[in-house]
Amino acid sequence: MPHPNGVSNGTGHAETKPRTPLRPGIYAPTMTFFDPVTEDIDFPTVKKHAVRLAKDGLVGLIPMGSNGEAVHLNRAERAAVTKATREALDEAGYHDVPVIVGASEQSVRGTLELIREAEAAGGEYTLLVPPSYFRGLISEDALYDYYIGVADGSPLPIILYNYPGAVAGIDMDSDFIIKISQHPNIIGTKFTCGNTGKLTRVALAMDAVTPKRRGSGYMAFGGMADFTVQTLVSGGSGIIAGGANVMPKTIVKVWSLWNEGKLEEAMELQKLVSKGDWVLTKTAIPGTKSAIEQYFGYGGYPRRPLQRLPEDKTKALGANIADIMKYEKSL
């Protein structure tokens, strides 16, 4: 039975142009780049990075997620980064690459305000983590009311973001995700929890998009590059991975090999990706930016209070991803 999300995923509300459909493939939660002295946003680098990722085969970009340091930006800066990302893609001719915007606040009202600002800046979809500040009061009923309240009022289709590590341990189970995904304005889930069993159950129940079939239009995203093949085996729709900021072509290659039926090659390359992605995961935003700096000549540092990598850890990171970056540069 077709899910109504198949309508929201690719059809605008009142826009002059149809909403860009979400395609199976690799997406990146993009970094926000700063001047190393003033910490002002470096918009030319934000735009250059967006174009590089699209050129390297990514099918969607997500500014203002965890990797984008949204919590370090004010609302005007968030909107400006989203606008710059959309402008950069359009100027380079990547009109078919949608911009999904992280727009989470702690209240229904605040989240809706942020989503409207994201839409005005060029966002076409939104990615939302659960509210967690009042963790002891966020029952399943409260979480249900939050997501349904936002979905009822949001001008953008919503992708749920299950990331327990960022929200005081809140981990939405498959029953809950399936339940709230019946809402026509909730069109997918990002599983940064890493639970492929959960992804499998949700993808099955929601008849998710796969590389081979459109299904209902619902998108089930693996949330890290180190289970790209596992996501495909589980019936997933794509990957939203911080590692795609550093090694986009390699992750795209894993995806492509599997879909070409070259399963052994895909699994061997997945091992290399998993090894490199773990290095980036352990060093988080400072490490990802350092890797971009070392291998692409830009990247810089996070905003304080996040610490810059010391010189010894910077050198170690570069050495630990040397194998996968050699492969990346060969593509």
Side-chain angles (χ1 to χ4, degrees), residues 75 78 103-114 128-132 146:
R75 292 176 77 142
R78 293 184 188 189
S104 302
E105 285 282 358
Q106 295 298 309
S107 68
V108 171
R109 182 187 180 98
T111 300
L112 286 171
E113 288 178 359
L114 202 54
L128 301 180
V129 293
S132 60
Y146 169 79

Side-chain angles (χ1 to χ4, degrees), residues 173-196:
D173 66 24
S174 55
D175 293 339
F176 181 79
I177 291 171
I178 292 165
K179 178 181 176 182
I180 60 174
S181 292
Q182 304 309 309
H183 194 290
N185 210 22
I186 296 176
I187 59 92
T189 301
K190 178 188 178 187
F191 295 86
T192 305
C193 55
N195 188 325
T196 54

Side-chain angles (χ1 to χ4, degrees), residues 57-90:
L58 301 195
V59 298
L61 301 182
I62 303 95
M64 298 301 94
S66 305
N67 279 273
E69 297 181 65
V71 294
H72 292 162
L73 274 60
N74 63 39
R75 292 176 77 142
E77 288 177 321
R78 293 184 188 189
V81 170
T82 298
K83 184 180 181 197
T85 302
R86 182 69 268 164
E87 286 177 349
L89 293 170
D90 288 343

Side-chain angles (χ1 to χ4, degrees), residues 35-41 303:
D35 182 282
V37 177
T38 66
E39 294 192 351
D40 291 340
I41 296 172
R303 268 187 177 170

Side-chain angles (χ1 to χ4, degrees), residues 236-311:
S237 313
I239 301 292
I240 300 175
N245 285 283
V246 179
M247 46 190 180
K249 290 188 282 188
T250 305
I251 302 169
V252 169
K253 185 68 172 178
V254 173
W255 188 267
S256 299
L257 285 170
W258 182 271
N259 291 311
E260 292 166 6
K262 299 174 181 177
L263 309 187
E264 292 293 334
E265 291 180 55
M267 288 187 283
E268 283 303 308
L269 188 54
Q270 177 67 67
K271 295 174 186 177
L272 186 64
V273 168
S274 295
K275 179 183 175 184
D277 195 53
W278 178 234
V279 176
L280 298 174
T281 298
K282 288 188 292 184
T283 53
I285 293 168
T288 299
K289 286 190 167 182
S290 176
I292 295 169
E293 183 75 50
Q294 291 184 61
Y295 285 95
F296 298 98
Y298 66 93
Y301 310 102
R303 268 187 177 170
R304 294 174 294 174
L306 293 187
Q307 299 290 292
R308 301 179 179 189
L309 283 188
E311 185 176 355

Side-chain angles (χ1 to χ4, degrees), residues 149-165:
V150 173
D152 282 344
S154 175
L156 300 182
I158 293 164
I159 299 168
L160 308 173
Y161 188 2
N162 195 50
Y163 185 12

